[in-house]
Each structure stands twice: as structure tokens, then as C-alpha cells.
Amino acid sequence: MKRLLSILTMTAVALTIGAQTAREEISANIYLAGSNYLDYDRQLPTQKLTPAPKGYEPYYMSHYGRHGSRWLISENSYIGPLTTMRDADSQGKLTQKGKDVLRILEEFYPCTIDRLGDLSTVGERQHHGIGKRMVQNFPEIFKTKDVAIDARSTVVIRCILSMTAECEELMAANPTARIHNDVSEALQYYLNAPWPDRLRKQTAKRNAIREQYRQKLTHTKRLMGVLFNDQQWVSDNLRAASFTRQLFEIAVNMQSHDTDLEMLSLFTADEVYDLWKQNNIGWYLEYGPAPQTESIMPFSQLNLLKNIIETTDTVTQTQATLRFGHEVCVMPLACLLELDNCGAKVEDLDHLEDTWRNYKIFPMGCNIQLVFYRPKKGKTGEVLVKALLNEREARLPIQTTQWPYYSWKELRQYYLDKIQRFEAGNK
């Protein structure tokens, strides 16, 4: 039986990934290389959702969503490369292309001042779209008269504003909705929990492996020749690999803004792919089910999974629970829930992208929606659940005869058993 389940799981993984390689997908849509900076609206679902099973209706949504697109978090992310380019220019070390890049950085920098980490207009727009589609996809929940919607956010402003944008759409669609918003440090223990000690012990191992791939997959020689006319000056004054990654971070995050400025064309297709690949590996090691870190990193969201189960246990009427936070919660939660191939354990990191691709999990605005179904009035049957990852129907880690719908009783027990095994290992 275990072997059969393993075969079925790997078949599902193969179907989920699809025929295209990661390189082909990024070649067709270079914005995917942004990993966690991917604009949600550049990868919207196109497939219609499966209708509810006969005699069933949706009555509850349990959700966790990441804030939308934002400015970069660190001041040095912007001022570091700009200062380097200014210094090089003052010493006559820039090529014409280098001067062009400096001009772009100079033009873009003023809009970043006092905006670090803030939600951008693009990010706000993403959440308005998600809220609208929630109503369109599940009117039985969100258009119910006097429906109770409990919306909670971490204390970070971009998350609060993302929550507000979605709730504005829900209220516009149903003015009778009773929306309760809450933001408090008291909620952080499950909305953005600190790592337990058992996970922190993996830090050194994870960082060592990630650094190996950074060195292997960051290519600097061509780009340094494009930007600077004196390679000895580059060698004496720059940490070329770090500088390359900083430029790439700015370039991929420009999709978070309504701007015509762009820098992705600085990089060749191979450089873009390898910079994405090292980020894919890094995120897998840090938050994914990597066997290299004992497959325990998704348990950073243990409290969140418990909250999802415990809250669902209290639901007796049509309602919704919306939670807003960060990609460092959505990604490991998707892995902990084992949505599609998110829970895959890959030994050979050189080929991780064949199975596990971060841009499918955590673009800006990423979200997990667990939608619960009950028999219609006069009908009988157990409660069913389906999972949406970024509004796409996802496979869950138990068997079902009516995908994408699963027995909530069986799935609940599966997760409780998983929690129990992890907690037993901490004793």
C-alpha cells in the first residue's frame, strides 16, 4: 500500500508540473524568475474551477494570503548598487551601458525613499482582484446575507493594507457582510510565528549548502565586462557576485511597480535561469521539505495549521476566515499541507526544478484557500474540502474518488497525526 501511494504521489507530481521545463516556462515568461517578487497577476489561473459535487454547496472558506507587491525591504538593496555605480562613474570606470544602468538606478531611487517594504499600487491591485474572484467563485459564501467574515493580519502595514483591499471588494459585493478586522501582536504566534529551536538548528547546514549553489550559479564575468571598462578596478573594489545578485533583485522587483524602467535585459537567458535556480534551491532549503534539512522546515507553520483546524472545528454557519501575512508563511504552509508537489522531498538539488518550482507557490499576493462543502438542505453526507493554491485546484495528500474534493474528516486526521509525530520528536 505504501508503495502504491508513493507511485500515485509521484504521478500527481508529474501531472502538476506539466510538460514544460522550468527553463521553458521562464523563457516564455521571464517574470517568473523573480521567485517571491513575481507579480501575482502575471500568472493568473486560466482553468475553470470544478463544480461542487451533486447535492453539495460551499459554506466556509479558511484562507491565508500574502501581502501584495512591495518595495524591497532593505535600504542597502537600493543604495548599495547605486553607490557602487556612482563611485565607478566618478572614476571613469563605467562603459556606456554602465552609464545607462546608472541612469536607471538614479531615476528609480527617489521613489524608494521612505517606502521600504511598503505595499505598491500593483500590490493593492492584486488584492482587489483576488477579492473580486473570491466572490465570483464562491457567491454561496460571500453573497450570503449577513455573512460573518473574520479577517486578521500581522502587524506589518503592507499586510494590513492587503487585507483592507480584499475586504473592500467583499463589502462592495455584499453590503450586509459583517466583516471583523483584527491586527495585534497577540495574533503573531500563528500568523507569523517565530521558528522553534529544532528548526533553528538547521541554519548552519542550510546556509552552507545555499552558499555552494550561489558560488556555482552566479556568473559575473560577462556582466562586469558590460558595465565596467576596467576589470582590475572591478577585482579591487567589488564583490562581483554579491553586486550581480543585488542588480538582479532590483531588476526582478521592478514588476512590483507601474514603471517603464527595466533592467532584466542586462542578463542573458542563462544568467537569469541560474540566478532563479539558486533562489529556488535557497527557498527550498529554508522553508521547504528538503531532506538536506531533515524535511522539518515546513513545521515553522505548525501553529498556523493548528489554528486552521481548530477554527474549522467551530464553524456551524456560512462564514469565512481570512488571514494575511507573508510568503515565509504561505510557502511552508503549502509544503506542510502537501499541496500538489509542494511536499516533495528532493535529494538531488541540481535537478530540484524538475519537481519543485518556487514561483508556482509564492508570488506576491499568493494565497491558500481551503473551501468546505456540506450537503444541501435535506441531503446527507460528510463535509468535503478542496484546496486552492493561488486560485488553482490542488491535490491533497490523501486518496479521493472525486478530486478535487476530499473528506475533511480523513484529511483533518491526517494532519493531526502529522502534527503529533512532529511534536513527539521534540520531546
Side-chain angles (χ1 to χ4, degrees):
M1 176 60 74
K2 286 184 178 180
R3 177 172 172 77
L4 173 60
L5 287 175
S6 176
I7 293 171
L8 290 173
T9 298
M10 293 310 296
T11 301
V13 165
L15 290 172
T16 301
I17 283 293
Q20 277 194 311
T21 65
R23 186 183 289 274
E24 289 169 339
E25 288 183 337
I26 291 171
S27 177
N29 181 2
I30 195 171
Y31 297 102
L32 301 179
S35 298
N36 57 317
Y37 296 125
L38 172 63
D39 172 6
Y40 188 89
D41 292 344
R42 294 183 185 273
Q43 191 185 225
L44 289 174
T46 56
Q47 190 167 349
K48 290 184 178 180
L49 298 181
T50 306
K54 187 176 181 179
Y56 275 84
E57 62 183 358
Y59 74 100
Y60 176 54
M61 177 185 286
S62 184
H63 154 283
Y64 189 100
R66 180 196 185 189
H67 59 77
S69 289
R70 57 162 170 78
W71 274 264
L72 297 176
I73 299 291
S74 168
E75 171 69 12
N76 190 58
S77 294
Y78 293 114
I79 198 64
L82 178 56
T83 299
T84 296
M85 297 297 280
R86 284 172 174 171
D87 289 347
D89 189 42
S90 69
Q91 299 175 53
K93 302 301 182 183
L94 291 183
T95 63
Q96 183 55 54
K97 187 63 175 179
K99 290 178 182 291
D100 293 342
V101 171
L102 174 58
R103 176 187 54 78
I104 292 172
L105 293 174
E106 292 280 17
E107 186 175 344
F108 190 69
Y109 178 67
C111 80
T112 73
I113 296 172
D114 295 328
R115 279 292 193 180
L116 297 177
D118 283 358
L119 188 73
S120 69
T121 302
V122 173
E124 182 183 24
R125 190 161 62 236
Q126 290 159 359
H127 280 279
H128 277 285
I130 293 168
K132 282 183 180 179
R133 290 188 295 275
M134 279 183 177
V135 176
Q136 293 167 359
N137 291 333
F138 306 106
E140 300 90 342
I141 296 174
F142 292 104
K143 287 196 172 183
T144 294
K145 189 177 187 307
D146 297 325
V147 63
I149 300 174
D150 184 20
R152 302 184 172 199
S153 169
T154 67
V155 296
V156 178
I157 293 174
R158 60 182 174 273
C159 301
I160 299 169
L161 292 176
S162 296
M163 174 178 69
T164 300
E166 282 194 27
C167 288
E168 284 175 350
E169 293 296 336
L170 303 181
M171 181 59 75
N174 182 0
T176 72
R178 294 181 292 110
I179 300 178
H180 171 68
N181 295 116
D182 198 2
V183 179
S184 173
E185 288 286 351
L187 308 176
Q188 292 290 95
Y189 78 96
Y190 71 88
L191 287 179
N192 190 14
W195 281 4
D197 289 341
R198 186 175 171 192
L199 272 63
R200 291 183 184 280
K201 291 177 181 178
Q202 300 295 326
T203 300
K205 183 191 304 182
R206 179 187 72 244
N207 288 346
I209 300 172
R210 182 169 57 187
E211 186 56 31
Q212 290 174 11
Y213 280 95
R214 278 186 166 184
Q215 293 179 18
K216 178 180 178 180
L217 296 170
T218 303
H219 312 297
T220 65
K221 184 176 180 179
R222 186 204 64 84
L223 184 60
M224 295 303 102
V226 167
L227 298 178
F228 304 100
N229 58 30
D230 184 342
Q231 295 310 299
Q232 186 60 51
W233 183 90
V234 170
S235 179
D236 293 342
N237 292 273
L238 288 187
R239 291 189 297 168
S242 178
F243 179 71
T244 297
R245 289 191 291 266
Q246 283 183 310
L247 285 181
F248 185 70
E249 183 180 37
I250 294 174
V252 294
N253 193 52
M254 280 183 169
Q255 64 185 291
S256 293
H257 305 281
D258 292 317
T259 179
D260 293 328
L261 298 173
E262 75 85 26
M263 295 200 316
L264 274 172
S265 59
L266 269 179
F267 303 89
T268 67
D270 285 343
E271 289 165 354
V272 166
Y273 183 72
D274 281 353
L275 285 163
W276 168 77
K277 183 172 179 176
Q278 66 176 267
N279 284 332
N280 192 50
I281 292 170
W283 282 101
Y284 183 69
L285 290 168
E286 190 157 9
Y287 293 100
Q292 296 82 0
T293 47
E294 300 182 15
S295 302
I296 61 172
M297 305 312 290
F299 285 94
S300 63
Q301 300 313 304
L302 182 68
N303 290 343
L304 179 53
L305 177 54
K306 286 182 177 180
N307 179 264
I308 289 170
I309 295 171
E310 291 165 0
T311 304
T312 302
D313 287 346
T314 69
V315 173
T316 59
Q317 60 184 7
T318 301
Q319 62 191 81
T321 304
L322 309 181
R323 309 168 184 85
F324 294 84
H326 308 269
E327 81 268 48
V328 295
C329 302
V330 175
M331 170 166 279
L333 177 63
C335 298
L336 188 60
L337 294 174
E338 299 175 56
L339 304 182
D340 286 337
N341 60 312
C342 294
K345 299 176 182 179
V346 181
E347 295 284 353
D348 184 359
L349 294 178
D350 286 313
H351 298 285
L352 174 65
E353 69 275 14
D354 294 342
T355 304
W356 198 93
R357 301 172 193 170
N358 59 18
Y359 52 76
K360 292 182 178 291
I361 308 173
F362 71 157
M364 295 287 190
C366 60
N367 58 91
I368 295 170
Q369 301 174 18
L370 299 177
V371 186
F372 294 80
Y373 292 74
R374 64 186 174 190
K376 293 180 179 178
K377 190 172 182 180
K379 303 289 185 177
T380 59
E382 64 177 331
V383 171
L384 302 178
V385 61
K386 77 171 174 182
L388 304 184
L389 175 59
N390 300 325
E391 302 177 66
R392 294 171 173 81
E393 292 170 337
R395 297 186 180 276
L396 288 161
I398 62 171
Q399 293 185 348
T400 182
T401 59
Q402 48 187 341
W403 186 86
Y405 299 94
Y406 294 79
S407 162
W408 169 238
K409 180 180 178 181
E410 293 180 16
L411 186 65
R412 177 182 181 277
Q413 190 60 53
Y414 178 90
Y415 290 142
L416 289 175
D417 291 344
K418 188 172 184 176
I419 291 169
Q420 190 277 328
R421 289 194 300 270
F422 176 77
E423 291 184 329
N426 284 334
K427 294 178 181 178

Short mmCIF file of all heavy atoms in Angstrom, two decimals, residues 194-239:
data_model
loop_
_atom_site.label_atom_id
_atom_site.label_comp_id
_atom_site.label_asym_id
_atom_site.label_seq_id
_atom_site.Cartn_x
_atom_site.Cartn_y
_atom_site.Cartn_z
N PRO A 194 7.52 32.75 15.22
CA PRO A 194 8.98 32.56 15.23
C PRO A 194 9.31 31.08 15.12
O PRO A 194 8.51 30.22 15.49
CB PRO A 194 9.39 33.13 16.59
CG PRO A 194 8.17 32.98 17.45
CD PRO A 194 7.00 33.18 16.54
N TRP A 195 10.49 30.78 14.62
CA TRP A 195 10.91 29.39 14.47
C TRP A 195 11.16 28.74 15.82
O TRP A 195 11.80 29.33 16.70
CB TRP A 195 12.20 29.31 13.67
CG TRP A 195 12.02 29.46 12.20
CD1 TRP A 195 10.87 29.72 11.52
CD2 TRP A 195 13.04 29.34 11.20
NE1 TRP A 195 11.11 29.78 10.18
CE2 TRP A 195 12.43 29.55 9.95
CE3 TRP A 195 14.40 29.08 11.26
CZ2 TRP A 195 13.15 29.51 8.76
CZ3 TRP A 195 15.12 29.04 10.07
CH2 TRP A 195 14.50 29.25 8.84
N PRO A 196 10.73 27.50 15.99
CA PRO A 196 11.13 26.74 17.18
C PRO A 196 12.61 26.37 17.09
O PRO A 196 13.21 26.38 16.01
CB PRO A 196 10.24 25.51 17.13
CG PRO A 196 9.86 25.35 15.70
CD PRO A 196 9.80 26.74 15.12
N ASP A 197 13.20 26.06 18.21
CA ASP A 197 14.64 25.75 18.27
C ASP A 197 15.04 24.62 17.34
O ASP A 197 16.13 24.65 16.75
CB ASP A 197 15.04 25.40 19.71
CG ASP A 197 15.02 26.61 20.63
OD1 ASP A 197 15.05 27.75 20.11
OD2 ASP A 197 14.97 26.43 21.85
N ARG A 198 14.17 23.64 17.20
CA ARG A 198 14.52 22.48 16.36
C ARG A 198 14.76 22.91 14.92
O ARG A 198 15.62 22.34 14.23
CB ARG A 198 13.38 21.45 16.42
CG ARG A 198 13.70 20.14 15.70
CD ARG A 198 12.58 19.14 15.91
NE ARG A 198 12.74 17.97 15.07
CZ ARG A 198 11.80 17.05 14.88
NH1 ARG A 198 10.63 17.18 15.50
NH2 ARG A 198 12.01 16.02 14.10
N LEU A 199 14.06 23.92 14.44
CA LEU A 199 14.26 24.41 13.09
C LEU A 199 15.50 25.29 13.00
O LEU A 199 16.25 25.26 12.02
CB LEU A 199 13.04 25.19 12.61
CG LEU A 199 11.93 24.35 11.92
CD1 LEU A 199 11.33 23.34 12.91
CD2 LEU A 199 10.84 25.25 11.37
N ARG A 200 15.75 26.08 14.03
CA ARG A 200 16.91 26.98 14.03
C ARG A 200 18.22 26.21 13.95
O ARG A 200 19.22 26.70 13.42
CB ARG A 200 16.90 27.84 15.29
CG ARG A 200 15.77 28.87 15.31
CD ARG A 200 15.85 29.75 16.55
NE ARG A 200 14.73 30.67 16.63
CZ ARG A 200 14.64 31.81 15.96
NH1 ARG A 200 15.63 32.18 15.15
NH2 ARG A 200 13.59 32.59 16.07
N LYS A 201 18.22 24.99 14.46
CA LYS A 201 19.43 24.19 14.45
C LYS A 201 19.87 23.82 13.03
O LYS A 201 21.00 23.38 12.81
CB LYS A 201 19.23 22.92 15.28
CG LYS A 201 19.10 23.20 16.77
CD LYS A 201 18.83 21.92 17.55
CE LYS A 201 18.67 22.21 19.05
NZ LYS A 201 18.35 20.98 19.82
N GLN A 202 18.97 23.99 12.06
CA GLN A 202 19.30 23.66 10.67
C GLN A 202 19.99 24.81 9.94
O GLN A 202 20.41 24.66 8.79
CB GLN A 202 18.00 23.29 9.92
CG GLN A 202 17.25 22.10 10.48
CD GLN A 202 18.05 20.82 10.35
OE1 GLN A 202 18.79 20.63 9.38
NE2 GLN A 202 17.90 19.93 11.32
N THR A 203 20.09 25.97 10.59
CA THR A 203 20.54 27.19 9.90
C THR A 203 21.92 27.04 9.28
O THR A 203 22.13 27.37 8.10
CB THR A 203 20.52 28.38 10.86
OG1 THR A 203 19.19 28.58 11.35
CG2 THR A 203 21.00 29.64 10.17
N ALA A 204 22.88 26.57 10.04
CA ALA A 204 24.26 26.47 9.53
C ALA A 204 24.35 25.52 8.34
O ALA A 204 25.00 25.83 7.32
CB ALA A 204 25.20 26.02 10.64
N LYS A 205 23.70 24.38 8.44
CA LYS A 205 23.71 23.40 7.35
C LYS A 205 23.06 24.00 6.10
O LYS A 205 23.59 23.88 4.99
CB LYS A 205 22.97 22.14 7.79
CG LYS A 205 22.98 21.02 6.76
CD LYS A 205 22.02 19.91 7.14
CE LYS A 205 22.29 19.32 8.50
NZ LYS A 205 21.38 18.21 8.82
N ARG A 206 21.92 24.64 6.29
CA ARG A 206 21.20 25.23 5.17
C ARG A 206 22.03 26.31 4.48
O ARG A 206 22.14 26.36 3.26
CB ARG A 206 19.89 25.83 5.69
CG ARG A 206 19.05 26.50 4.64
CD ARG A 206 17.87 27.23 5.26
NE ARG A 206 18.29 28.42 5.97
CZ ARG A 206 18.16 28.60 7.28
NH1 ARG A 206 17.64 27.65 8.02
NH2 ARG A 206 18.56 29.72 7.84
N ASN A 207 22.63 27.18 5.27
CA ASN A 207 23.41 28.28 4.71
C ASN A 207 24.63 27.78 3.94
O ASN A 207 25.01 28.34 2.91
CB ASN A 207 23.85 29.24 5.82
CG ASN A 207 22.69 30.05 6.36
OD1 ASN A 207 21.62 30.11 5.76
ND2 ASN A 207 22.89 30.69 7.50
N ALA A 208 25.25 26.72 4.45
CA ALA A 208 26.43 26.17 3.78
C ALA A 208 26.08 25.62 2.40
O ALA A 208 26.79 25.86 1.41
CB ALA A 208 27.06 25.09 4.64
N ILE A 209 24.98 24.90 2.33
CA ILE A 209 24.56 24.34 1.04
C ILE A 209 24.16 25.45 0.08
O ILE A 209 24.52 25.45 -1.10
CB ILE A 209 23.39 23.34 1.23
CG1 ILE A 209 23.82 22.18 2.13
CG2 ILE A 209 22.92 22.81 -0.13
CD1 ILE A 209 22.68 21.26 2.52
N ARG A 210 23.41 26.41 0.59
CA ARG A 210 22.95 27.51 -0.26
C ARG A 210 24.14 28.29 -0.82
O ARG A 210 24.14 28.68 -1.98
CB ARG A 210 22.04 28.44 0.54
CG ARG A 210 21.48 29.60 -0.29
CD ARG A 210 20.39 30.31 0.46
NE ARG A 210 20.84 30.80 1.74
CZ ARG A 210 20.03 31.34 2.66
NH1 ARG A 210 18.73 31.42 2.43
NH2 ARG A 210 20.50 31.80 3.80
N GLU A 211 25.18 28.50 -0.01
CA GLU A 211 26.35 29.25 -0.47
C GLU A 211 27.08 28.50 -1.58
O GLU A 211 27.61 29.11 -2.52
CB GLU A 211 27.29 29.53 0.70
CG GLU A 211 28.47 30.42 0.35
CD GLU A 211 28.07 31.76 -0.23
OE1 GLU A 211 26.98 32.29 0.13
OE2 GLU A 211 28.84 32.29 -1.05
N GLN A 212 27.11 27.19 -1.49
CA GLN A 212 27.72 26.39 -2.54
C GLN A 212 27.05 26.67 -3.88
O GLN A 212 27.72 26.84 -4.92
CB GLN A 212 27.62 24.90 -2.22
CG GLN A 212 28.49 24.44 -1.07
CD GLN A 212 28.23 22.98 -0.72
OE1 GLN A 212 27.56 22.26 -1.47
NE2 GLN A 212 28.75 22.54 0.41
N TYR A 213 25.73 26.71 -3.86
CA TYR A 213 25.00 26.93 -5.11
C TYR A 213 25.08 28.39 -5.56
O TYR A 213 25.05 28.66 -6.77
CB TYR A 213 23.55 26.47 -4.96
CG TYR A 213 23.43 24.98 -5.12
CD1 TYR A 213 23.43 24.13 -4.01
CD2 TYR A 213 23.37 24.41 -6.38
CE1 TYR A 213 23.36 22.75 -4.16
CE2 TYR A 213 23.29 23.03 -6.55
CZ TYR A 213 23.29 22.22 -5.44
OH TYR A 213 23.23 20.85 -5.61
N ARG A 214 25.19 29.31 -4.63
CA ARG A 214 25.39 30.70 -5.03
C ARG A 214 26.70 30.86 -5.80
O ARG A 214 26.75 31.52 -6.84
CB ARG A 214 25.42 31.60 -3.79
CG ARG A 214 24.05 31.99 -3.28
CD ARG A 214 24.19 32.99 -2.15
NE ARG A 214 22.92 33.64 -1.85
CZ ARG A 214 22.77 34.61 -0.96
NH1 ARG A 214 23.84 35.05 -0.30
NH2 ARG A 214 21.60 35.16 -0.74
N GLN A 215 27.75 30.25 -5.30
CA GLN A 215 29.04 30.33 -5.97
C GLN A 215 29.00 29.65 -7.33
O GLN A 215 29.59 30.13 -8.31
CB GLN A 215 30.13 29.72 -5.09
CG GLN A 215 30.40 30.50 -3.80
CD GLN A 215 31.47 29.85 -2.95
OE1 GLN A 215 32.24 29.02 -3.41
NE2 GLN A 215 31.52 30.22 -1.67
N LYS A 216 28.30 28.55 -7.38
CA LYS A 216 28.23 27.76 -8.61
C LYS A 216 27.37 28.43 -9.68
O LYS A 216 27.67 28.33 -10.88
CB LYS A 216 27.67 26.37 -8.27
CG LYS A 216 27.49 25.44 -9.45
CD LYS A 216 26.92 24.11 -8.96
CE LYS A 216 26.67 23.14 -10.11
NZ LYS A 216 26.11 21.85 -9.62
N LEU A 217 26.34 29.15 -9.28
CA LEU A 217 25.33 29.61 -10.23
C LEU A 217 25.27 31.12 -10.42
O LEU A 217 24.39 31.62 -11.12
CB LEU A 217 23.94 29.10 -9.79
CG LEU A 217 23.77 27.58 -9.81
CD1 LEU A 217 22.46 27.18 -9.13
CD2 LEU A 217 23.83 27.05 -11.24
N THR A 218 26.18 31.87 -9.80
CA THR A 218 26.26 33.31 -10.05
C THR A 218 27.41 33.57 -11.01
O THR A 218 28.57 33.35 -10.68
CB THR A 218 26.50 34.09 -8.74
OG1 THR A 218 25.46 33.80 -7.81
CG2 THR A 218 26.49 35.59 -9.03
N HIS A 219 27.06 34.03 -12.20
CA HIS A 219 28.06 34.25 -13.25
C HIS A 219 28.28 35.75 -13.41
O HIS A 219 27.34 36.50 -13.66
CB HIS A 219 27.59 33.63 -14.56
CG HIS A 219 27.10 32.22 -14.40
ND1 HIS A 219 27.91 31.18 -13.98
CD2 HIS A 219 25.86 31.68 -14.56
CE1 HIS A 219 27.21 30.07 -13.92
NE2 HIS A 219 25.96 30.34 -14.26
N THR A 220 29.52 36.20 -13.28
CA THR A 220 29.79 37.63 -13.21
C THR A 220 30.64 38.17 -14.35
O THR A 220 30.59 39.37 -14.65
CB THR A 220 30.50 37.97 -11.89
OG1 THR A 220 31.79 37.34 -11.87
CG2 THR A 220 29.69 37.51 -10.68
N LYS A 221 31.46 37.33 -14.98
CA LYS A 221 32.48 37.83 -15.90
C LYS A 221 31.89 38.66 -17.04
O LYS A 221 32.35 39.77 -17.33
CB LYS A 221 33.29 36.66 -16.46
CG LYS A 221 34.44 37.10 -17.34
CD LYS A 221 35.28 35.90 -17.79
CE LYS A 221 36.44 36.36 -18.68
NZ LYS A 221 37.27 35.21 -19.12
N ARG A 222 30.89 38.13 -17.72
CA ARG A 222 30.30 38.85 -18.86
C ARG A 222 29.70 40.18 -18.42
O ARG A 222 29.94 41.23 -19.02
CB ARG A 222 29.24 37.99 -19.54
CG ARG A 222 28.68 38.62 -20.83
CD ARG A 222 27.30 38.09 -21.16
NE ARG A 222 26.33 38.46 -20.13
CZ ARG A 222 25.69 39.62 -20.10
NH1 ARG A 222 25.91 40.54 -21.02
NH2 ARG A 222 24.82 39.86 -19.12
N LEU A 223 28.89 40.14 -17.33
CA LEU A 223 28.19 41.34 -16.89
C LEU A 223 29.17 42.42 -16.44
O LEU A 223 28.97 43.61 -16.74
CB LEU A 223 27.22 41.00 -15.76
CG LEU A 223 26.35 42.16 -15.26
CD1 LEU A 223 25.49 42.72 -16.38
CD2 LEU A 223 25.49 41.70 -14.08
N MET A 224 30.21 42.02 -15.74
CA MET A 224 31.19 43.02 -15.30
C MET A 224 31.86 43.68 -16.51
O MET A 224 32.15 44.88 -16.50
CB MET A 224 32.25 42.38 -14.40
CG MET A 224 31.71 41.84 -13.07
SD MET A 224 30.84 43.06 -12.05
CE MET A 224 29.11 42.62 -12.38
N GLY A 225 32.09 42.91 -17.57
CA GLY A 225 32.66 43.47 -18.78
C GLY A 225 31.72 44.41 -19.50
O GLY A 225 32.15 45.36 -20.16
N VAL A 226 30.42 44.15 -19.37
CA VAL A 226 29.41 45.01 -19.99
C VAL A 226 29.30 46.35 -19.27
O VAL A 226 29.13 47.41 -19.90
CB VAL A 226 28.04 44.30 -20.00
CG1 VAL A 226 26.91 45.27 -20.35
CG2 VAL A 226 28.05 43.13 -20.98
N LEU A 227 29.44 46.34 -17.94
CA LEU A 227 29.19 47.55 -17.14
C LEU A 227 30.45 48.38 -16.88
O LEU A 227 30.35 49.61 -16.76
CB LEU A 227 28.58 47.15 -15.79
CG LEU A 227 27.21 46.45 -15.83
CD1 LEU A 227 26.77 46.09 -14.41
CD2 LEU A 227 26.17 47.31 -16.52
N PHE A 228 31.60 47.71 -16.78
CA PHE A 228 32.82 48.41 -16.35
C PHE A 228 33.93 48.24 -17.40
O PHE A 228 34.09 47.17 -17.99
CB PHE A 228 33.30 47.86 -15.00
CG PHE A 228 32.25 47.95 -13.92
CD1 PHE A 228 31.50 46.83 -13.56
CD2 PHE A 228 31.99 49.14 -13.26
CE1 PHE A 228 30.53 46.89 -12.57
CE2 PHE A 228 31.02 49.22 -12.26
CZ PHE A 228 30.29 48.09 -11.92
N ASN A 229 34.71 49.30 -17.57
CA ASN A 229 35.77 49.28 -18.58
C ASN A 229 37.14 48.92 -18.01
O ASN A 229 38.14 48.91 -18.74
CB ASN A 229 35.85 50.63 -19.30
CG ASN A 229 36.10 51.79 -18.34
OD1 ASN A 229 36.73 51.63 -17.30
ND2 ASN A 229 35.59 52.97 -18.69
N ASP A 230 37.19 48.62 -16.72
CA ASP A 230 38.47 48.30 -16.06
C ASP A 230 38.23 47.12 -15.12
O ASP A 230 37.72 47.28 -14.00
CB ASP A 230 38.98 49.52 -15.29
CG ASP A 230 40.36 49.29 -14.66
OD1 ASP A 230 40.77 48.12 -14.53
OD2 ASP A 230 41.01 50.29 -14.28
N GLN A 231 38.60 45.92 -15.56
CA GLN A 231 38.31 44.73 -14.77
C GLN A 231 39.22 44.61 -13.55
O GLN A 231 38.86 43.95 -12.57
CB GLN A 231 38.42 43.49 -15.65
CG GLN A 231 37.37 43.46 -16.76
CD GLN A 231 35.96 43.70 -16.24
OE1 GLN A 231 35.45 42.94 -15.42
NE2 GLN A 231 35.30 44.78 -16.71
N GLN A 232 40.38 45.26 -13.58
CA GLN A 232 41.21 45.27 -12.38
C GLN A 232 40.54 46.10 -11.30
O GLN A 232 40.58 45.76 -10.11
CB GLN A 232 42.60 45.84 -12.69
CG GLN A 232 43.58 45.75 -11.52
CD GLN A 232 43.82 44.32 -11.06
OE1 GLN A 232 44.11 43.44 -11.87
NE2 GLN A 232 43.66 44.06 -9.76
N TRP A 233 39.93 47.20 -11.71
CA TRP A 233 39.17 48.03 -10.76
C TRP A 233 38.03 47.21 -10.16
O TRP A 233 37.77 47.27 -8.95
CB TRP A 233 38.62 49.27 -11.46
CG TRP A 233 37.88 50.20 -10.52
CD1 TRP A 233 38.41 51.24 -9.82
CD2 TRP A 233 36.49 50.16 -10.20
NE1 TRP A 233 37.44 51.85 -9.06
CE2 TRP A 233 36.24 51.20 -9.27
CE3 TRP A 233 35.42 49.36 -10.59
CZ2 TRP A 233 34.98 51.46 -8.74
CZ3 TRP A 233 34.16 49.60 -10.05
CH2 TRP A 233 33.94 50.64 -9.15
N VAL A 234 37.35 46.43 -10.99
CA VAL A 234 36.27 45.57 -10.50
C VAL A 234 36.80 44.60 -9.47
O VAL A 234 36.23 44.43 -8.38
CB VAL A 234 35.62 44.80 -11.67
CG1 VAL A 234 34.66 43.73 -11.15
CG2 VAL A 234 34.88 45.76 -12.60
N SER A 235 37.92 43.96 -9.78
CA SER A 235 38.51 42.98 -8.87
C SER A 235 38.92 43.62 -7.54
O SER A 235 38.75 43.01 -6.48
CB SER A 235 39.74 42.33 -9.53
OG SER A 235 40.34 41.40 -8.66
N ASP A 236 39.43 44.85 -7.60
CA ASP A 236 39.92 45.52 -6.39
C ASP A 236 38.80 46.14 -5.56
O ASP A 236 38.98 46.34 -4.35
CB ASP A 236 40.93 46.61 -6.77
CG ASP A 236 42.21 46.06 -7.37
OD1 ASP A 236 42.47 44.86 -7.18
OD2 ASP A 236 42.93 46.84 -8.04
N ASN A 237 37.67 46.46 -6.17
CA ASN A 237 36.67 47.28 -5.49
C ASN A 237 35.29 46.63 -5.31
O ASN A 237 34.48 47.15 -4.54
CB ASN A 237 36.47 48.60 -6.24
CG ASN A 237 37.68 49.49 -6.18
OD1 ASN A 237 37.85 50.27 -5.25
ND2 ASN A 237 38.56 49.38 -7.19
N LEU A 238 35.04 45.55 -6.01
CA LEU A 238 33.70 44.96 -5.97
C LEU A 238 33.72 43.51 -5.48
O LEU A 238 34.67 42.77 -5.75
CB LEU A 238 33.06 44.95 -7.36
CG LEU A 238 32.58 46.25 -7.97
CD1 LEU A 238 31.84 45.95 -9.26
CD2 LEU A 238 31.70 47.02 -7.02
N ARG A 239 32.64 43.15 -4.81
CA ARG A 239 32.33 41.73 -4.64
C ARG A 239 31.34 41.42 -5.76
O ARG A 239 30.13 41.62 -5.63
CB ARG A 239 31.73 41.47 -3.27
CG ARG A 239 32.72 41.64 -2.12
CD ARG A 239 32.15 41.17 -0.81
NE ARG A 239 30.99 41.95 -0.41
CZ ARG A 239 30.15 41.63 0.56
NH1 ARG A 239 30.34 40.50 1.24
NH2 ARG A 239 29.13 42.41 0.86
#
